[in-house]
Every structure is written in C-alpha cells, then in structure tokens.
Amino acid sequence: ILALYDGGAEISSEKVNELLEVTGNTEVEAFYPIIFSNFLSDPAKVAELLCTPGGGGGGGGAAGAGAGEEAAEEEEEEKVEEEEMDIGGGGMAMFGGDEGGGDY
C-alpha cells in the first residue's frame, strides 16, 4: 500500500495483487488486498494512518513490575526449599553403592 501511495498510483485490489505478485508474496489470502484497498483507497486515509501515533496498548507497565517482583520472590522460595531437602544418606544408594545387590 505504501509503495502505491508513494508512487502516486491508484490503490486498488488489482494493483495490490500486482505488487504482491511482483514481490513474490503469493501466499497472501485473496481477501486481504480487497480489505486494504477498500480501507486505504483514499490518499487522505493513508496520510492519516502514517501521521497518527498508535493508541491503546499502554498502561501495563506497572503490573509488569509487580509480576517481576513476584517471580523473584518465588525463585527465592524455591532455593530455600531445595536447600532444606536431604539429598544424601537415607539408606538409599542410587547407583548400587555398598549395600549389596550386586550388578544388574
């Protein structure tokens, strides 16, 4: 769409399809050129799209910081639990050891 707009060409589904074929983008669903050409057929709409900053999406930063603190706290708890576990002794020899049993 921007190539057509910058070149001063008419923005139509036929032109978008031609551009897609020339650039080797043949896996695009057939309805996309129609949708984009209908929405952006007026050069004023393209200019508005380019000049208008994106909206929405913001405001999640504060929650993200809290989640990071929780993750660090959980990681600390996991370390404490691992340190408390008794790994050695206990009468169980994982690889045979001296408690008999012989070879497998």
Side-chain angles (χ1 to χ4, degrees):
I1 301 291
L2 293 177
L4 295 172
Y5 174 77
D6 285 342
E10 175 189 6
I11 299 174
S12 66
S13 61
E14 292 83 21
K15 293 286 186 183
V16 173
N17 280 325
E18 280 181 34
L19 189 62
L20 289 172
E21 283 184 31
V22 168
T23 58
N25 294 307
T26 57
E27 294 183 20
V28 176
E29 298 291 333
F31 59 89
Y32 283 122
I34 296 168
I35 290 172
F36 282 104
S37 64
N38 285 340
F39 180 69
L40 299 171
S41 61
D42 182 16
K45 286 186 178 181
V46 178
E48 180 184 347
L49 180 68
L50 293 174
C51 296
T52 305
E69 292 173 9
E70 287 179 20
E73 190 174 305
E74 287 178 15
E75 185 175 315
E76 183 66 31
E77 288 177 11
E78 285 181 22
K79 286 182 183 178
V80 171
E81 288 176 13
E82 288 176 7
E83 290 173 2
E84 292 174 357
M85 287 183 4
D86 182 21
I87 297 176
M92 184 172 94
M94 188 173 200
F95 298 106
D98 293 335
E99 285 134 20
D103 292 342
Y104 290 99

